[in-house]
Amino acid sequence: MSRKVFDLYRREWILRRSIEWRPPYNEAEQFEHDVDGGRGAAIFILSSLLLMWIVFFFWLPQNAHFPWFFWLIIIVIIGFFPVRWVLRRQWKVVAETVGAYDQPAERWQGLVRGWTRSNDEMKIIKRQLETQGTPGHTDSPLQPMN
């Protein structure tokens, strides 16, 4: 997602955010990752779960009937973790300008956890640029990169 914003000094800034596919190294959260089995373990668990569901449906009697809420529960269970993953994933927020003849180019970048928080941070940065001329503020995750 990208949007153009003009700051207090009429410079054009480009605000964008993108999902981070690889989590950065974070010392505070290292305890969660020291027992991580990696992709191999995740693929094994998901494939065994899929195999279990296939065997379950092939061994059903032909006249077995499942109510509609059973299918709804299955969809909610299957969809919970991907939706949670997208909503809790880290997003990279970038604010950059090419500069002008009297002002240098700037690039600010930071990581924000969660889709809604990254959306809120984009709104805060837009408001900061329009009122103060800089994307950084006191509690901002953005840091100057140049």
Side-chain angles (χ1 to χ4, degrees), residues 80-96:
F80 173 76
F81 290 107
V83 168
R84 182 181 181 271
W85 182 83
V86 168
L87 292 178
R88 294 283 301 148
R89 197 75 189 153
Q90 284 192 340
W91 290 72
K92 179 169 53 173
V93 178
V94 178
E96 58 189 348

Side-chain angles (χ1 to χ4, degrees), residues 112-129:
V112 178
R113 181 176 294 275
W115 179 77
T116 55
R117 185 146 184 259
S118 69
N119 195 21
D120 293 343
E121 191 65 35
M122 291 279 283
K123 291 175 186 175
I124 291 170
I125 294 168
K126 179 180 182 286
R127 188 172 47 234
Q128 279 292 120
L129 284 170

